[in-house]
Amino acid sequence: MLHIELTQDDATVTVHFQGKSILRNPAEFLMPIVFNTLVKAKGQGKRLVLNFCDLLYMNSSTLTPVIKVLEQARIGDGEVTIRYKKSLKWQDISFSALSIFQTQDHRIQIEGVDP
Amino acid sequence: MSAELVMTVSPDWKELERVNSTAFEFLRKQHLTDECVNRFTMVICELVENGIKYGSRELNGATVQVQIRITENNFTVEVSNPFNASSLPFLHELDHTLQWVRGFQDPFEAYLARMKAISHEAPEANKSGLGIARIAYEGRASLDFFVNDNNTLNVSAVAIIE
């Protein structure tokens, strides 16, 4: 089951994704969360971080809201980081492909980490 | 090395958790690398999702049949479900998507193209259409399908075990 937790500090608002995302329509559930958090983060002058390091599995539909929030931030002035566990091969393959949405001004970053 | 797992899945989305866990455990027991276990679990689950989404649920007792085979060099999964006129739009879309993915020299390019297309769709559009491209790119699997005489749609994916 997918578990989502929100945390924040002085510079970021982070959405932590944990468990398995196999919802039939993840966009319906995730879109309001990520879009509202993007607006909230922007309003506070903070970066939105979508942290997938603890995600065990996701279906392809889970990527839809992620892609759309990246595009929303790209055409606006939001700052978003996608963070994933680089040592997990499946995460590296899935999330590194999102690099096509990275911006040169670093507002959108795709970040493989090894926590 | 040769092993097989057969599952009968009700056309109920809740079944996917069981499919995911059962497939993962089966693959893990075959002494595959973690990378292969995760990759093949994804391929299986994406195909079963399609079987549940687009199979003909109105047929009494309709189930999704899943057959996973591991040999020394190959991974194969076959997902079959009853098929009738209501599934025709999906069949056409599946055919079109497979042809589209095959049109790219590298499945990664198809995956990126689909992601770019999704980024330009309206926020409320909730159909990803990314599954087939993901199976080809991340799963490094070849996909095919046929409809047999009993009106059963059979979709298969084959990948080399590395």
Side-chain angles (χ1 to χ4, degrees):
Chain A
M1 184 183 281
L2 180 64
H3 179 76
I4 287 178
E5 193 181 322
L6 264 70
T7 61
Q8 59 179 317
D9 58 27
D10 292 344
T12 60
V13 180
T14 302
V15 183
H16 300 267
F17 294 80
Q18 297 164 339
K20 294 179 185 177
S21 178
I22 45 180
L23 295 165
R24 183 173 186 135
N25 184 3
E28 195 176 71
F29 169 64
L30 293 176
M31 206 80 89
I33 294 173
V34 291
F35 272 74
N36 291 341
T37 313
L38 174 64
V39 170
K40 178 184 168 186
K42 232 169 76 170
Q44 297 177 352
K46 294 179 180 178
R47 172 175 288 271
L48 169 65
V49 179
L50 301 179
N51 187 334
F52 294 96
C53 290
D54 293 323
L55 193 66
L56 299 173
Y57 175 82
M58 67 171 178
N59 58 11
S60 56
S61 308
T62 303
L63 279 169
T64 302
V66 178
I67 291 167
K68 286 183 177 171
V69 79
L70 290 178
E71 177 64 8
Q72 192 69 29
R74 193 187 66 79
I75 59 176
D77 57 356
E79 297 185 343
V80 180
T81 295
I82 301 294
R83 188 169 293 152
Y84 64 90
K85 196 184 276 186
K86 197 170 176 54
S87 57
L88 282 178
K89 185 88 173 171
W90 78 265
Q91 285 206 2
D92 195 27
I93 294 170
S94 286
F95 293 109
S96 63
L98 294 170
S99 299
I100 53 166
F101 298 107
Q102 281 191 136
T103 56
Q104 288 190 333
D105 61 5
H106 305 295
R107 284 192 306 107
I108 297 177
Q109 298 179 339
I110 312 300
E111 186 180 275
V113 296
D114 280 314
Chain B
M1 179 173 76
S2 177
E4 185 177 81
L5 174 68
V6 175
M7 281 187 274
T8 298
V9 180
S10 302
D12 179 348
W13 204 259
K14 290 176 189 157
E15 282 276 79
L16 279 164
E17 174 64 48
R18 178 175 73 87
V19 171
N20 184 285
S21 304
T22 307
F24 182 86
E25 283 306 319
F26 167 75
L27 293 167
R28 221 163 53 96
K29 285 178 185 163
Q30 309 312 315
H31 308 293
L32 303 172
T33 62
D34 287 350
E35 192 258 335
C36 277
V37 170
N38 287 315
R39 190 153 61 93
F40 299 156
T41 301
M42 179 275 291
V43 172
I44 294 161
C45 289
E46 291 286 353
L47 289 185
V48 175
E49 280 196 16
N50 280 348
I52 292 176
K53 266 185 197 169
Y54 304 113
S56 300
R57 251 162 295 172
E58 61 269 30
L59 299 174
N60 278 339
T63 57
V64 178
Q65 298 295 318
V66 185
Q67 187 176 39
I68 305 163
R69 278 193 303 275
I70 298 287
T71 60
E72 195 168 344
N73 300 314
N74 287 311
F75 155 82
T76 306
V77 57
E78 290 180 22
V79 175
S80 50
N81 52 267
F83 171 86
N84 66 9
S86 71
S87 308
L88 270 176
F90 165 67
L91 189 62
H92 290 145
E93 193 180 326
L94 177 65
D95 189 28
H96 176 265
T97 307
L98 281 178
Q99 299 299 336
W100 179 78
V101 170
R102 287 171 186 157
F104 290 84
Q105 271 199 332
D106 183 347
F108 181 54
E109 297 299 325
Y111 189 70
L112 292 185
R114 187 63 204 122
M115 286 204 303
K116 280 180 192 164
I118 291 170
S119 75
H120 294 121
E121 288 169 0
E124 60 275 14
N126 58 17
K127 196 165 185 297
S128 86
L130 200 59
I132 297 296
R134 190 183 188 204
I135 288 171
Y137 160 56
E138 286 185 32
R140 299 201 287 282
S142 302
L143 281 153
D144 212 344
F145 75 93
F146 64 90
V147 178
N148 71 13
D149 293 341
N150 301 324
N151 280 338
T152 300
L153 172 63
N154 184 302
V155 185
S156 63
V158 181
I160 294 168
I161 296 174
E162 291 150 2

